[in-house]
């Protein structure tokens, strides 16, 4: 069988970036191949000119005005080329143009703007496998009757013969076909160009990689097979079982441009965990991605866009180490009977544990099920055994967990999906990589280890995004700045200058005597102080919703310290249940209240007392008392409770005028200010008391980040306007 290789190969290659690429393993094992001299003419070696109109499907791909690759027209506005030609530029189609309808690549006519670029999701820059990309143009590429070079003496080389010629330097996969000629060869500028069967005129391949010296009759050129064949690659849980609605509530489908690409798991209401390789190269374009949840059918369900991508900074695309990413969502996931976050494991699974994998993809019959599948016969494989199975190919690091089953297996389409310990119900892994044939009982599949990366996951998912935390040493670190007294999103966007580095504190606070404010508590998360709060009953504490937001289903993370003015000592009791106000809005911070039910009652003493709730709003004549822990005006970190007792109410109208049109001061908010004192970050969730009545009127919610006395009023969640909800939630 003869093949016709029509390629825009006449490229002046001063830069090695336009070399015909070699897989990373080949370069590492045979560096001489990378440094062979580039052919002086930098074209199809011994190519023949193409007559006008002879290869009408041929295009030239230009980036930033410079020719870089070839490609072929497969319909009126669609181009197919090599993935390596557009790698890392998928989100920047405006950099590219298509030259078509000509054999002269220096022509200034017939250019088409690129509208979108879709690189094969399994493309590996390491092995150059799945080396295909689809480009869509902004206009139709109409036929034209219009110097392309061609190679017509190429012959097909069997996979076995091709593998023998390349030896152990790189695997020749099912997604590759090889050609050779004793007279002609593809070379550097031919990447992405079409390989056509002369007999039927159909495209069968795309120029992918080969030896950089472009020597005729030496190493075969590897050509990626065309897209319909690539779409038949294994993407499935092998022998998976159907998942019923609500069975795996944490599973999400990750979409890119509306198309399913990976799995993932809900770890909090506004955060999803997935694999780094699912988002690699697009971290600065989060709006390309969306998350579909609350369904076993990946084609329906609720969809929310991604607002930020946090890829692990040590992710390595060659070794696939640290293969994790946390996605922050543009709006919180709505919890329901079918939707709930998964708990993260701090303990590695053992050989005795049964593991549960879930995901979408083709099944063992090569059909494409729409509904979620599960594999529940997986067992952990030790690092040593796993490394021996993968010997010579890749290092199994402490950030990886290996698992396999005789009956079931993860495969490509499951990337990013959750691996859960069935016994504890906690997530232990994220689908990362494995054998390309996805063979059952073959080499173990590899999962990124949640226990070994949990610290980073927690940090990136704002596990303690309790913007009031303050137990850090001065000066402020970047992490501490992220925990300041929050501002509504609209204000933060409209008043960026308000974001200054000021230590959290009650400004000019005064010491509190033992037993003076017996209702004050310190709210801890993971043993670390994060917020204030107040005792309502022996088993009920009131705090701010933003202090617990995203962790409502994890009450055991939190504990309450009471009966002390020293936040480092006192009696501690764990939280048994969190009831956040259902109308709480993390963007506007409206309805910023939460009721905590304790696992055991608070023990009464001379230093402990419950506070009563006020049903009446404070007036301008009332003096208000604020209490809390935090740094003082000197930037020191006092261990002992502080108070501010010169605060006065500011009317809604005046408060709104102070804050301007950036945000609404709602009926659920009370504003207060003092020329001498002010609440600040570490006071979130703490009590605001009417000194005249001794009743609780507010909960510290938000304010200006500079915390200046006499500046913009601080805002408190209004107890009188939410008293009905507080009382019903406390029963």
């Amino acid at each position: 069988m003869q093949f016709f290789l029509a390629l825009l190969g006449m490229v002046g290659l001063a830069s090695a970036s336009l070399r015909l690429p070699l897989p990373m393993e080949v370069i590492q094992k045979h560096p001489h191949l990378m440094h062979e001299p580039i052919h002086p003419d930098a074209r199809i070696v011994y190519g023949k000119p193409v007559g006008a109109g002879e290869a009408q499907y041929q295009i030239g791909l230009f980036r930033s005005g410079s020719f870089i690759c070839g490609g072929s027209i497969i319909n009126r506005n669609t181009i197919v080329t090599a993935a390596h030609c557009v790698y890392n530029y998928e989100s920047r189609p405006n950099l590219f143009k298509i030259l078509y309808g000509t054999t002269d690549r220096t022509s200034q006519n017939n250019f088409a703007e690129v509208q979108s670029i879709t690189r094969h999701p399994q493309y590996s820059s390491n092995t150059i496998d799945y080396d295909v990309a689809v480009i869509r143009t902004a206009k139709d590429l109409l036929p034209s009757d219009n110097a392309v070079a061609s190679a017509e003496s190429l012959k097909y080389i069997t996979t076995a013969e091709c593998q023998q010629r390349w030896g152990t330097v790189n695997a020749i996969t099912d997604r590759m076909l090889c050609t050779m000629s004793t007279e002609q060869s593809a070379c550097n500028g031919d990447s992405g160009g079409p390989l056509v069967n002369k007999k039927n005129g159909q495209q069968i391949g795309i120029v992918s990689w080969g030896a950089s010296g472009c020597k005729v009759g030496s190493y075969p050129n590897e050509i990626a097979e065309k897209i319909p064949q690539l779409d038949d690659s294994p993407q499935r849980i092998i022998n998976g079982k159907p998942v019923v609605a609500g069975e795996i509530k944490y599973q999400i489908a990750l979409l890119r441009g509306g198309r399913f690409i990976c799995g993932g798991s809900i770890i909090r209401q506004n955060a999803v965990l997935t694999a780094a390789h699912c988002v690699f190269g697009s971290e600065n374009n989060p709006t390309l991605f969306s998350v579909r949840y609350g369904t076993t059918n990946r084609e329906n369900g609720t969809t929310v866009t991604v607002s930020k991508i946090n890829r692990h900074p040590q992710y390595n695309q060659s070794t696939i180490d640290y293969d994790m990413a946390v996605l922050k969502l543009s709006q919180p996931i709505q919890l329901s009977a079918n939707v709930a976050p998964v708990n993260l494991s701090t303990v590695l699974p053992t050989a005795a544990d049964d593991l549960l994998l879930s995901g979408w993809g083709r099944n063992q019959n090569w059909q494409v099920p729409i509904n979620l599948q599960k594999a529940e016969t997986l067992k952990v494989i030790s690092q040593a055994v796993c490394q021996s199975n993968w010997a010579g190919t890749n290092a199994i690091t402490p950030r990886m967990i290996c698992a396999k089953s005789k009956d079931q297996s993860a495969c490509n389409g499951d990337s990013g999906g959750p691996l859960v310990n069935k016994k504890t119900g906690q997530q232990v892994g994220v689908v990362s990589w494995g054998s390309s044939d996805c063979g059952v009982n073959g080499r173990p599949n590899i999962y990124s280890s949640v226990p070994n990366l949990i610290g980073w996951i927690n940090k990136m998912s704002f596990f303690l995004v309790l913007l009031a935390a303050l137990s850090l040493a001065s000066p402020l670190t970047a992490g501490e700045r992220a925990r300041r007294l929050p501002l509504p999103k609209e204000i933060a966007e409209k008043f960026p200058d308000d974001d200054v580095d000021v230590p959290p504190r009650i400004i000019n606070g005064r010491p509190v005597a033992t037993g003076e404010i017996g209702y004050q508590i310190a709210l801890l998360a993971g043993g670390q102080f994060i917020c204030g709060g107040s005792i309502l009953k022996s088993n009920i504490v009131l705090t701010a919703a933003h202090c617990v937001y995203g962790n409502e289903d994890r009450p055991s993370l939190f504990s309450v310290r009471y009966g002390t003015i020293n936040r480092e000592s006192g009696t501690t009791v764990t939280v048994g249940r969190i009831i956040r106000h259902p109308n709480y809005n993390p963007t506007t911070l409206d309805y910023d209240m939460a009721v905590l039910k304790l696992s055991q009652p608070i023990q009464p003493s001379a230093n402990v007392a419950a506070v009563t709730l006020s049903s009446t709003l404070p007036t301008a004549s009332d003096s208000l008392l604020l209490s809390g822990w935090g740094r003082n005006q000197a930037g020191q970190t006092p261990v002992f409770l502080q108070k501010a007792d010169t605060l006065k109410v500011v009317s809604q109208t005046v408060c709104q005028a102070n804050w301007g049109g950036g945000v609404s001061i709602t009926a659920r908010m009370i504003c207060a200010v003092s020329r001498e004192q002010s609440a600040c970050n570490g006071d979130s969730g703490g009590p605001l008391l009417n000194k005249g009545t001794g009743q609780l009127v507010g909960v510290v919610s938000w304010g200006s980040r500079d915390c200046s006395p006499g500046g913009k009023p601080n805002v408190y969640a209004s107890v009188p306007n939410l008293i009905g909800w507080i009382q019903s939630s406390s029963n």
Side-chain angles (χ1 to χ4, degrees), residues 531-614:
C531 279
S534 38
I535 301 170
L536 303 187
K537 296 182 179 180
S538 62
N539 67 333
I540 299 294
V541 161
L542 184 66
T543 190
H546 74 259
C547 291
V548 294
Y549 179 63
N551 292 294
E552 296 85 347
D553 62 328
R554 300 176 179 178
S556 59
L557 292 176
F558 298 92
S559 56
V560 164
R561 183 166 288 152
Y562 67 92
T564 180
I565 56 172
N566 183 333
R567 61 179 174 83
E568 295 183 355
S569 65
T571 306
T572 303
V573 58
T574 56
V575 175
R577 184 183 176 194
I578 297 172
I579 305 172
R580 176 173 55 79
H581 198 290
N583 295 340
Y584 169 66
N585 186 322
T587 299
T588 64
L589 299 176
D590 200 5
Y591 295 92
D592 191 14
M593 278 196 186
V595 167
L596 311 181
K597 294 193 173 184
L598 307 181
S599 59
Q600 52 185 303
I602 287 173
Q603 298 302 310
S605 74
N607 296 330
V608 178
V611 66
T612 58
L613 303 176
S614 176

Side-chain angles (χ1 to χ4, degrees), residues 71-103:
S72 50
I73 302 169
I74 59 174
N75 65 37
R76 294 178 69 86
N77 70 336
T78 306
I79 302 295
V80 65
T81 187
H84 74 260
C85 293
V86 295
Y87 183 59
N88 277 338
Y89 289 92
E90 300 87 342
S91 61
R92 304 174 70 185
N94 58 304
L95 294 179
F96 294 86
K97 287 185 178 181
I98 300 296
L99 177 66
Y100 66 102
T102 180
T103 59

Side-chain angles (χ1 to χ4, degrees), residues 196-395:
V196 174
N197 186 328
K198 290 180 65 178
K199 182 177 181 179
N200 59 26
Q202 295 180 339
Q203 182 175 356
I204 58 172
I206 299 164
V207 179
S208 181
W209 61 275
S212 298
C214 310
K215 292 180 179 178
V216 172
S218 57
Y219 292 96
N221 293 129
E222 271 54 60
I223 313 292
E225 293 185 72
K226 66 180 191 178
I227 283 178
Q229 293 163 304
L230 285 177
D231 280 346
D232 288 336
S233 60
Q235 294 183 350
R236 58 196 183 274
I237 287 183
I238 310 296
N239 297 320
K241 298 177 182 177
V243 174
V244 300
E247 182 182 355
I248 300 179
K249 302 177 182 181
Y250 48 81
Q251 177 81 44
I252 64 94
L254 180 61
L255 313 179
R256 179 186 169 121
R259 182 179 178 182
F260 169 75
I261 58 165
C262 279
S265 51
I266 302 169
I267 56 174
R268 50 177 291 156
Q269 277 190 273
N270 67 340
V272 160
L273 183 64
T274 190
H277 73 259
C278 292
V279 295
F280 182 67
S282 298
E283 296 86 345
N284 295 326
N285 291 279
T287 55
L288 291 176
F289 298 89
S290 55
V291 164
R292 183 166 288 153
Y293 68 92
T295 181
T296 58
N297 184 329
R298 62 179 172 83
E299 294 187 353
N300 61 32
T302 305
T303 303
V304 58
T305 55
V306 175
S307 63
K308 185 177 182 182
I309 297 173
N310 295 305
R311 174 174 57 81
H312 199 289
Q314 293 173 257
Y315 169 66
N316 185 318
Q317 63 171 321
S318 296
T319 63
I320 322 183
D321 200 4
Y322 294 93
D323 189 16
M324 277 196 187
V326 172
L327 312 181
K328 184 179 179 183
L329 307 181
S330 60
Q331 53 185 303
I333 286 172
Q334 300 302 308
L335 304 181
S336 70
N338 294 330
V339 181
V342 64
N343 290 323
L344 302 179
S345 179
T346 59
V347 180
L348 290 169
T350 67
D353 294 323
D354 291 319
L355 305 178
L356 171 66
L357 167 72
S358 52
W360 288 275
R362 289 183 175 89
N363 58 27
Q364 62 279 7
N365 298 319
W366 295 85
Q367 297 169 337
V368 185
I370 294 174
N371 296 314
L372 190 63
Q373 303 287 299
K374 65 181 178 181
E376 46 189 349
T377 62
L378 301 175
K379 292 285 189 179
V380 170
I381 303 296
S382 71
Q383 298 279 101
V385 171
C386 189
Q387 186 64 78
S388 66
N389 273 261
W390 284 101
T393 58
N394 206 45

